[in-house]
Amino acid sequence: MAENKKKNGNKIKKQNNKKKKIVKGRDWTFIVYPESAPKNWREILDDTHLEWVESPLHDKDVNPDGTKKKPHWHILIRFEGPVTIKNVEGYIESLNGPKPQKVGSAKGMVRYFAHLDNPEKHPYAIDDIKPHNGADIADFFKLTTSQNLAAMKDIFKFIKKKEIDNYIDFLDFCLTQGNDDWFDIAINHNTLAINKMLDAMWQKHHGKKLR
């Protein structure tokens, strides 16, 4: 009997320790609703002097049953070191929103602000994502090596299929279609390779005529 009581006591202690486990994180996210947040909610967050990122207003999201969700903003707030949920709540309590959640990937969270990796959801413009208090979001949209290679393959197929033979037309397509990944690749990363593709297409179209 005594041995059983001891085992049960150890189990209870372990369960209590699990319950008391404190979750800490550097990056946290929460939702702000226009209908319940104070008008100066941005100023309240700015006054924390913490880096934070504001999503576009999500006013076209729908629930699984097809009903429309309430318009809302997603927020990412970044601390200099790991903090508990109580610390975070102390900063955002006056915003009258749901409890904050710890973020596993800040990059994934910010990309979610535009639904970049969720094609089944309504897309929002990257340009409408707003950094505050010195937050730098450029790195969140950089493609990985494999993603960059896949994008270059798609660009090659597109140039060949549409027979585009000049740089300005290609950039115009990226802008009008809102393809920010392709535009970034063309402007900042693989400009030379893309220009060679376009030059080859131009030679195919016009080279013989000039001979």
Side-chain angles (χ1 to χ4, degrees):
M1 289 289 292
E3 191 174 336
N4 288 335
K5 285 183 179 180
K6 188 176 180 180
K7 287 182 179 179
N8 291 333
N10 288 336
K11 285 183 180 179
I12 292 172
K13 283 182 180 179
K14 288 181 180 179
Q15 290 173 353
N16 288 336
N17 287 336
K18 287 181 180 178
K19 289 179 181 178
K20 291 178 181 178
K21 186 178 179 181
I22 298 174
V23 178
K24 290 186 175 182
R26 180 174 181 264
D27 299 318
W28 293 79
T29 187
F30 54 91
I31 290 175
V32 174
Y33 291 106
E35 62 184 29
S36 57
K39 291 182 179 180
N40 65 332
W41 68 269
R42 291 183 180 86
E43 287 77 10
I44 292 173
L45 289 177
D46 283 339
D47 287 344
T48 65
H49 303 293
L50 294 166
E51 294 181 0
W52 65 282
V53 184
E54 172 189 353
S55 78
L57 180 64
H58 281 215
D59 55 358
K60 294 180 177 61
D61 291 356
V62 294
N63 294 303
D65 62 0
T67 58
K68 192 173 182 180
K69 290 184 178 181
K70 292 192 299 183
H72 58 277
W73 290 280
H74 290 276
I75 306 297
L76 171 73
I77 190 165
R78 316 197 76 188
F79 292 81
E80 292 185 357
V83 299
T84 66
I85 189 171
K86 285 188 176 181
N87 293 130
V88 183
E89 288 175 337
Y91 284 99
I92 69 171
E93 185 178 7
S94 61
L95 304 188
N96 304 319
K99 282 191 173 186
Q101 294 182 334
K102 180 184 172 183
V103 172
S105 168
K107 179 177 181 179
M109 190 71 240
V110 173
R111 289 178 65 86
Y112 180 78
F113 288 178
H115 290 162
L116 290 180
D117 306 307
N118 301 87
E120 76 282 2
K121 296 178 180 288
H122 179 83
Y124 294 97
I126 291 178
D127 290 343
D128 291 335
I129 298 176
K130 300 173 183 177
H132 296 261
N133 287 350
D136 185 2
I137 62 174
D139 285 343
F140 296 150
F141 300 107
K142 288 182 179 178
L143 298 177
T144 64
T145 301
S146 59
Q147 289 172 331
N148 184 77
L149 179 60
M152 285 296 288
K153 288 179 179 178
D154 289 338
I155 287 171
F156 172 76
K157 292 175 183 176
F158 174 78
I159 289 174
K160 186 178 180 181
K161 181 179 180 180
K162 298 295 184 181
E163 298 187 337
I164 296 177
D165 59 12
N166 67 86
Y167 191 59
I168 191 66
D169 283 350
F170 178 73
L171 292 183
D172 183 62
F173 169 82
C174 294
L175 289 173
T176 55
Q177 297 299 314
N179 198 322
D180 294 311
D181 284 342
W182 283 16
F183 188 80
D184 180 55
I185 288 172
I187 293 292
N188 298 316
H189 303 290
N190 291 301
T191 306
L192 181 60
I194 291 172
N195 265 315
K196 284 185 176 180
M197 293 182 200
L198 297 170
D199 286 344
M201 189 59 66
W202 190 92
Q203 289 291 337
K204 185 177 180 180
H205 288 165
H206 308 287
K208 292 181 180 179
K209 296 180 182 178
L210 297 177
R211 291 174 184 172

